Amino acid sequence: MSIQFKSITELNELLDNKAISVLELTQESIQLAKKYSELNCFVTLNEENSSNRASAIDRDQKNTSLLSGIPLAQKDLFCTEGLRTTCSSKILSNFIPPYTATVVEKLEDAGSITIGKTNMDEFAMGSSNETSFFGSVHNPWKKGFVPGGSSGGSAAAVAAGIVPAATGTDTGGSIRQPAAHCGITGLKPTYGRISRWGMIAFASSLDQAGPLARSAEDCAILLNSMSGYDSKDTTSLNSDVPNFLENINQSIKGKKIGIIKEFDLSDLDTEVQKRFDESKKAYENLGAEFIEVSLPNISASVPTYYSIAPAECSSNLSRYDGVRFGHRAENTDDLNDLYIKSRSEGFGDEVKRRILIGTYALSAGYYDAYYKKAQQVRRLIKNDFDQVFKSIDLLMTPTSPYTAFKFESKGTQNPVELYLEDLFTISSNLAGLPAISIPHGQVNSLPVGLQLIGNFLREDELLNAAHVFQQNSDFHHAKPNLENFK
Ligand code: GLN
């Protein structure tokens, strides 16, 4: 019996009925990862360790948690003790962390098994997974097409049915956008809901970890384990964590969903637009009510993000100097030369571009004009959201303006073309709000995602609305044909 494409709930049933052991499940998941190695989802497989762990869980026979014995993949920016963690960068290509990120620890404490570390855009900078030092990830739906980024390896591994779920991080869309392009469900939680400790930083005020899975229900299972206060992360929220599974099946009758006036959807591909209109109808049939709302500053989201994120990254990435850890250049003349050569050799073009932009925006004389101004605009955007959430429960937008595209077809001449991929996703990071992407059909045999944005700490509303949609549709059950990846 194949475990490919099975959900967490289905795998739990197999484990409970003893139709499969944890060891068999883990090994089959690893075999699938190897069989589809051409997808390039994994940077490192955790073969021996995960088999040992699986055997221990089999011996223990204490399968109390829904994640017990479930194979998962972790984005390769979560530090894992003893297991190489690269951030898909040459500069960290030999880095073996001495500790494990809180998120991974929590998931493993719940009994899950980390089968490997997934490919991503270098330091999570990108929207197509093409900036990885380890090469591009293929979209399981179409060879030679991007899976979206930056959590592209995680999204592709779930979409190909190798693992039922995986972790990702989202600074400006990196969970939701690859989830949309790969036809799966991805949730970016409220900033602070999940600890960032042990998660390699890109832009600390925007980064947030979250789950990618085949359904909202499976995302809820992961979120239950991933969430919660962590004294090791000073931005971690000390607030109650509800059981996200418990209320996932409530009626959404009477819920008010906002449509953002400032997003001109008539600019979109007509088929993407059509899918959006049909899902709006589906929500109306489920009893939701749509209201047009205005977020007057939202059009400034992309430029605001591209001032703040590079500024924070230029500071965060200054620690990679070839001295303490990571790649070190050979044959250097002196310390300065060591820094320069190690960083020049270790970082890819996109990372260097961001460090340059960020250093410029933070430099004396430009700080007020760029960084401070961007922070002020960020506050205005956040205020707009606060205002609209007084009269609505959720916002709805497409996740991405397009479907997945061919390798090297976007952003090669002009990076801004690729930056606009995140037009719909970036604002919720700036405001710290939770948002989810769910699959809602296909255009030219490629998946399309629908985004719902929730109010502060209202992941329960998002998961509920996503689950009810999935209970009444089949889009999340669609599977790619993987014949071309053998
Ligand atoms: N695409 C955006 C960027 O390149 C967002 C990336 C992310 O969310 N990590 O910065």
Side-chain angles (χ1 to χ4, degrees):
M1 171 214 359
S2 170
I3 57 120
Q4 193 177 9
F5 298 116
K6 295 237 181 312
S7 69
I8 295 179
T9 320
E10 287 165 339
L11 293 175
N12 265 310
E13 233 177 84
L14 295 178
L15 289 170
D16 286 349
N17 300 337
K18 308 253 178 287
I20 193 167
S21 70
V22 176
L23 182 62
E24 285 163 346
L25 173 55
T26 305
Q27 287 180 340
E28 204 176 317
S29 183
I30 287 181
Q31 282 321 310
L32 286 170
K34 288 184 177 170
K35 176 172 174 187
Y36 299 115
S37 60
E38 204 188 341
L39 283 170
N40 202 19
C41 306
F42 288 90
V43 174
T44 308
L45 283 175
N46 189 24
E47 199 165 356
E48 201 184 314
N49 266 337
S50 53
S51 292
N52 290 342
R53 224 175 109 67
S55 303
I57 296 177
D58 276 330
R59 274 197 305 276
D60 252 16
Q61 299 272 324
K62 278 196 301 208
N63 285 2
T64 45
S65 140
L66 289 174
L67 282 176
S68 189
I70 300 296
L72 297 180
Q74 315 284 0
K75 186 174 183 178
D76 206 18
L77 58 49
F78 292 102
C79 286
T80 41
E81 187 182 341
L83 180 63
R84 184 167 78 128
T85 300
T86 69
C87 243
S88 285
S89 179
K90 181 177 175 184
I91 211 153
L92 285 177
S93 53
N94 59 4
F95 176 54
I96 301 191
Y99 56 84
T100 296
T102 300
V103 166
V104 177
E105 206 168 79
K106 278 175 170 263
L107 288 169
E108 290 184 347
D109 283 350
S112 72
I113 296 174
T114 298
I115 68 142
K117 307 293 293 289
T118 57
N119 202 344
M120 51 183 278
D121 277 302
E122 185 180 4
F123 281 100
M125 296 172 200
S127 304
S128 62
N129 222 119
E130 291 169 287
T131 69
S132 167
F133 173 62
F134 299 99
S136 299
V137 174
H138 289 268
N139 189 313
W141 290 87
K142 213 171 198 174
K143 202 173 185 167
F145 277 61
V146 305
S150 65
S151 312
S154 287
V158 174
I162 297 169
V163 279
T167 53
T169 60
D170 193 309
T171 306
S174 278
I175 288 177
R176 292 159 284 161
Q177 193 254 19
H181 286 346
C182 289
I184 61 165
T185 304
L187 172 71
K188 171 227 161 324
T190 305
Y191 182 79
R193 172 69 95 188
I194 294 180
S195 168
R196 289 186 300 109
W197 194 79
M199 199 174 115
I200 296 175
F202 160 16
S204 311
S205 77
L206 299 156
D207 297 342
Q208 183 59 197
L212 294 117
R214 306 193 65 76
S215 66
E217 195 178 9
D218 281 357
C219 280
I221 295 175
L222 258 74
L223 191 65
N224 275 346
S225 289
M226 294 167 83
S227 304
Y229 175 67
D230 181 7
S231 59
K232 290 187 275 194
D233 170 3
T234 50
T235 58
S236 172
L237 281 172
N238 200 348
S239 62
D240 288 346
V241 179
N243 182 333
F244 294 107
L245 257 190
E246 222 161 64
N247 293 320
I248 203 165
N249 213 6
Q250 305 288 314
S251 159
I252 57 160
K253 202 160 185 289
K255 291 281 176 203
K256 295 195 170 57
I257 306 184
I259 298 289
I260 303 170
K261 192 174 111 193
E262 285 76 13
F263 286 146
D264 184 3
L265 301 188
S266 64
D267 281 352
L268 295 180
D269 176 301
T270 48
E271 287 300 312
V272 174
Q273 209 183 112
K274 206 163 133 212
R275 287 300 325 122
F276 186 78
D277 292 340
E278 278 166 11
S279 292
K280 210 173 138 206
K281 274 251 151 52
Y283 269 107
E284 269 164 357
N285 292 338
L286 290 166
E289 196 186 310
F290 282 89
I291 301 170
E292 192 179 75
V293 294
S294 173
L295 288 136
N297 298 291
I298 203 162
S299 59
S301 298
V302 174
T304 302
Y305 172 91
Y306 279 98
S307 304
I308 295 172
E312 293 186 13
C313 107
S314 71
S315 163
N316 277 326
L317 271 59
S318 64
R319 72 192 63 163
Y320 306 106
D321 54 10
V323 176
R324 286 160 292 187
F325 42 75
H327 170 78
R328 177 181 298 177
E330 285 169 12
N331 305 325
T332 53
D333 301 334
D334 53 28
L335 186 61
N336 228 12
D337 197 38
L338 172 83
Y339 292 152
I340 293 170
K341 285 198 178 126
S342 300
R343 286 169 69 82
S344 303
E345 290 170 10
F347 291 133
D349 288 349
E350 184 60 27
V351 173
K352 285 179 186 157
R353 180 179 296 123
R354 307 263 181 131
I355 292 174
L356 283 174
I357 295 171
T359 307
Y360 177 81
L362 288 179
S363 59
Y366 292 106
Y367 178 90
D368 282 350
Y370 295 105
Y371 186 69
K372 192 168 158 206
K373 179 69 82 201
Q375 291 290 21
Q376 288 165 334
V377 178
R378 179 180 190 175
R379 169 54 64 176
L380 295 178
I381 293 168
K382 161 101 175 64
N383 290 349
D384 288 351
F385 276 109
D386 288 347
Q387 195 55 35
V388 299
F389 274 114
K390 285 184 183 153
S391 52
I392 55 158
D393 301 293
L394 297 164
L395 287 161
M396 191 168 117
T397 76
T399 307
S400 167
Y402 335 92
T403 52
F405 44 90
K406 254 198 186 124
F407 286 164
E408 288 174 31
S409 68
K410 249 186 207 173
T412 43
Q413 302 303 319
N414 177 5
V416 176
E417 199 184 16
L418 207 49
Y419 296 172
L420 290 171
E421 260 286 307
D422 301 318
L423 185 65
F424 299 121
T425 51
I426 270 178
S427 55
S428 40
N429 298 76
L430 290 169
L433 298 172
I436 195 167
S437 176
I438 52 176
H440 71 144
Q442 300 188 355
V443 170
N444 299 327
S445 310
L446 285 164
V448 191
L450 178 72
Q451 177 179 236
L452 295 165
I453 304 173
N455 202 354
F456 194 64
L457 291 176
R458 295 312 303 268
E459 289 85 356
D460 57 337
E461 288 266 19
L462 288 178
L463 288 162
N464 177 200
H467 179 71
V468 172
F469 181 86
Q470 292 183 335
Q471 290 301 96
N472 289 278
S473 62
D474 262 336
F475 302 120
H476 63 299
H477 289 137
K479 299 178 183 77
N481 177 353
L482 295 165
E483 251 169 35
N484 291 331
F485 295 105
K486 282 193 177 149

